[in-house]
Amino acid sequence: MVSLLHTARAGAASLLLIAAALPFSPALAEDDGFPFGSEMQLDANRQPGSKRIPNLDIGDAGEVVLELWCKGGKGQFSVAGNTVIFVMGAMENRPCPPDRAQQDDELIAALSAAATWKRQGDLVSFIGAKTLRFRINTN
């Protein structure tokens, strides 16, 4: 016959095991994972005379659609742990002022030079010679 004390101990042990495993559940781990399947916007102010802020639309397999200050195009992210590699694909040739085109080129170069990434809530940083911070769109 099972005693009440034995049942209570087994219940308490089960609760402790569940509590210990909870931080490792996939649902909680996704909050800190690379934001595949998300759209992110550069954490920057608008430029004078422009309504655009650069954004990345990252697919589930790491494919990216970029809309920058002026230019747009496609690329690919490869991620392993906190290591990231970004490869720029074809860019659309759009008419734009030389200063915005240069800022787009600098943004692409900084993203391509990033070697690591980190996520803190809705902020994702790509870290290389220059750190770029993007905010994940949650709406």
Side-chain angles (χ1 to χ4, degrees):
M1 188 163 175
V2 177
S3 71
L4 184 58
L5 182 60
H6 180 70
T7 303
R9 284 184 185 161
S14 296
L15 287 175
L16 285 173
L17 184 61
I18 290 169
L22 196 57
F24 301 105
S25 72
L28 291 176
E30 288 179 14
D31 288 340
D32 295 328
F34 192 81
F36 291 111
S38 299
E39 187 174 332
M40 302 187 298
Q41 189 171 48
L42 184 66
D43 192 22
N45 294 324
R46 286 179 166 51
Q47 292 184 349
S50 175
K51 294 182 180 180
R52 285 185 176 215
I53 295 180
N55 69 66
L56 308 174
D57 189 357
I58 304 172
D60 293 333
E63 67 280 7
V64 182
V65 176
L66 295 93
E67 287 297 331
L68 305 177
W69 299 110
C70 185
K71 298 178 181 183
K74 295 184 178 187
Q76 179 72 40
F77 277 110
S78 294
V79 178
N82 73 335
T83 302
V84 66
I85 297 172
F86 175 74
V87 177
M88 190 64 223
M91 292 295 290
E92 294 178 26
N93 287 326
R94 298 177 181 166
C96 60
D99 62 327
R100 286 207 187 122
Q102 181 178 349
Q103 288 179 332
D104 284 352
D105 293 341
E106 290 171 2
L107 184 58
I108 292 167
L111 201 52
S112 297
T116 60
W117 70 279
K118 71 177 179 176
R119 179 172 176 176
Q120 295 173 308
D122 291 339
L123 287 177
V124 177
S125 298
F126 296 100
I127 305 156
K130 180 179 180 181
T131 298
L132 300 172
R133 285 179 21 152
F134 285 83
R135 186 170 301 279
I136 298 172
N137 294 347
T138 56
N139 55 356

